[in-house]
Amino acid sequence: MSEKLSLSRIGEWPRWTIIPIGLGLAGLAIVLGLLLESAASALSPVQVEPAPTMPTIAYSGALADGCHDCHFSLPALQASAVDPDTAKAYLIEAESVVTPHGKLGCIACHGGDGQVADKGAAHQGLMADMTAQEPEQCLICHEDIPSVIPGDRMRVPHDTIIERIQQGDPCDVHCSDCHGGVGHGFDPVSGAKFCSMTVCLDCHQERNLEIQMADCDACHLGPHDVATSLTCSDCHTSTEVWQQVDPGIHPVSLPGKHGEMACFQCHQYPNFEGLNNVCTDCHESGHSGWGDQDCTGCHDPGETWDMAASTWDGHAERWNQYKGEHLKVACVGCHYETYVDMDPSCSSCHKTPKSHEDGRAEGDCAQCHQADQPWGE
């Protein structure tokens, strides 16, 4: 009776109760499955493959004393060289052992044996340039190096070189081509010693690669946003002295001292903004209330700052009458009040002599006198 009562009560449950009961049974099945899997793994031993480890560098600073004894001493090199005249090429600065690469020791990069006295035995298995023979050794430390160096505004082919090394593909460019003997005192990265562009050009010529100044942006990140109108070679004339430019490309003539100025002594860096090509861009006018922004109407910017009266509209005709001693008079000697609406007659500056008080001074003095001749004539 009780069993039938229990079943009848279950039948009275709401239908939605089936959902939580089903979810609970499914969860229980999952938990039991995980427990059984763990137990099975523990009972059946499986060999786990060890995680790969990074390759190590064979530090050999303490094993290179024999190398130092010879390569730090020019007399020792000359004594052991087949041709003493070539010995200097193998001389190494002693200070190079304290550089980051020098601390690795000679054997780490070049191989050989630095603890034997015999030259032949010491050079057994020697590598003159590890970056050419075993470049993968460099990638132990230098795997993640940039291909764009914003600080130096350079693009470098590091990504292409690293990919070829990792794939085992042949590559004609080696680390030492640009970085030199980094363990021998040459360290262009620090900036203390740098690789001039001559090295790049010479290398390209030796490999019969094209060299064009118009291809500057293949390696260089130009600071100027003028690529739509100019190329580097339009202004820059030297690959060694980058500040050497051709002023002839300037859209406005640069007479006199203007042609000796560096670009950004006048222009705003880096895109040459801020100028309207008028004198007052850089110079403050010395005339209050007179003249416009172009001083060249009166002054010759290519020579001295003396007045160029022949170029001043309306002045040349009158000035030709004066000449003579007037050439020694500064502009303000006559234009002491204003440069406009000045009475050009002589009486504006000169008093009438007593000999002309009879009325002869009413006319223009230039009718009788010539300014470039003695006044008595």
Side-chain angles (χ1 to χ4, degrees), residues 147-219:
S147 291
V148 175
I149 308 175
D152 293 331
R153 298 191 175 279
M154 289 290 295
R155 292 188 180 97
V156 286
H158 286 154
D159 51 354
T160 302
I161 296 172
I162 290 176
E163 181 180 2
R164 291 192 178 185
I165 293 174
Q166 291 175 335
Q167 298 297 329
D169 296 333
C171 182
D172 291 336
V173 180
H174 312 302
C175 304
S176 59
D177 290 336
C178 299
H179 296 282
V182 292
H184 303 158
F186 185 85
D187 185 13
V189 176
S190 68
K193 295 186 178 181
F194 62 91
C195 179
S196 70
M197 193 169 177
T198 300
V199 176
C200 306
L201 298 177
D202 290 347
C203 182
H204 276 242
Q205 289 176 341
E206 291 173 1
R207 298 167 186 264
N208 295 320
L209 300 176
E210 292 185 2
I211 302 174
Q212 296 180 0
M213 279 287 288
D215 295 337
C216 300
D217 57 354
C219 299

Side-chain angles (χ1 to χ4, degrees), residues 51-70:
T53 59
M54 288 291 294
T56 58
I57 300 174
Y59 286 93
S60 60
L63 305 177
D65 291 341
C67 307
H68 300 164
D69 292 342
C70 190

Side-chain angles (χ1 to χ4, degrees), residues 117-363:
D118 180 70
K119 176 182 175 181
H123 288 178
Q124 186 70 33
L126 192 70
M127 291 185 293
D129 184 1
M130 184 183 73
T131 70
Q133 296 173 262
E134 295 184 5
E136 63 276 3
Q137 297 295 324
C138 301
L139 299 188
I140 295 176
C141 294
H142 301 288
E143 181 178 11
D144 186 17
I145 50 180
S147 291
V148 175
I149 308 175
D152 293 331
R153 298 191 175 279
M154 289 290 295
R155 292 188 180 97
V156 286
H158 286 154
D159 51 354
T160 302
I161 296 172
I162 290 176
E163 181 180 2
R164 291 192 178 185
I165 293 174
Q166 291 175 335
Q167 298 297 329
D169 296 333
C171 182
D172 291 336
V173 180
H174 312 302
C175 304
S176 59
D177 290 336
C178 299
H179 296 282
V182 292
H184 303 158
F186 185 85
D187 185 13
V189 176
S190 68
K193 295 186 178 181
F194 62 91
C195 179
S196 70
M197 193 169 177
T198 300
V199 176
C200 306
L201 298 177
D202 290 347
C203 182
H204 276 242
Q205 289 176 341
E206 291 173 1
R207 298 167 186 264
N208 295 320
L209 300 176
E210 292 185 2
I211 302 174
Q212 296 180 0
M213 279 287 288
D215 295 337
C216 300
D217 57 354
C219 299
H220 298 279
L221 300 171
H224 316 308
D225 188 16
V226 293
T228 57
S229 56
L230 296 171
T231 64
C232 301
S233 58
D234 286 334
C235 299
H236 299 276
T237 58
S238 172
T239 58
E240 292 298 309
V241 183
W242 200 235
Q243 292 78 12
Q244 182 175 319
V245 298
D246 177 14
I249 191 63
H250 201 272
V252 178
S253 62
L254 299 172
K257 293 293 183 180
H258 295 86
E260 300 176 12
M261 302 288 286
C263 300
F264 296 109
Q265 287 182 276
C266 298
H267 294 278
Q268 291 180 4
Y269 182 87
N271 293 329
F272 308 96
E273 298 172 343
L275 295 183
N276 297 311
N277 297 327
V278 292
C279 302
T280 52
D281 284 335
C282 301
H283 303 281
E284 182 178 352
S285 175
H287 310 303
S288 177
W290 162 254
D292 56 17
Q293 294 179 326
D294 184 9
C295 305
T296 58
C298 300
H299 300 277
D300 184 357
E303 299 296 335
T304 61
W305 203 234
D306 296 337
M307 183 186 69
S310 60
T311 65
W312 188 1
D313 292 340
H315 191 278
E317 183 179 351
R318 294 191 179 109
W319 183 249
N320 287 334
Q321 300 177 21
Y322 301 142
K323 300 290 184 179
E325 293 296 317
H326 292 93
L327 293 174
K328 302 177 182 178
V329 180
C331 301
V332 293
C334 297
H335 299 276
Y336 46 83
E337 290 184 351
T338 179
Y339 284 86
V340 294
D341 298 330
M342 178 183 174
D343 185 357
S345 63
C346 302
S347 58
S348 295
C349 299
H350 301 278
K351 293 182 179 180
T352 303
K354 291 183 178 181
S355 60
H356 288 58
E357 290 179 352
D358 56 1
R360 284 181 291 173
E362 294 179 359

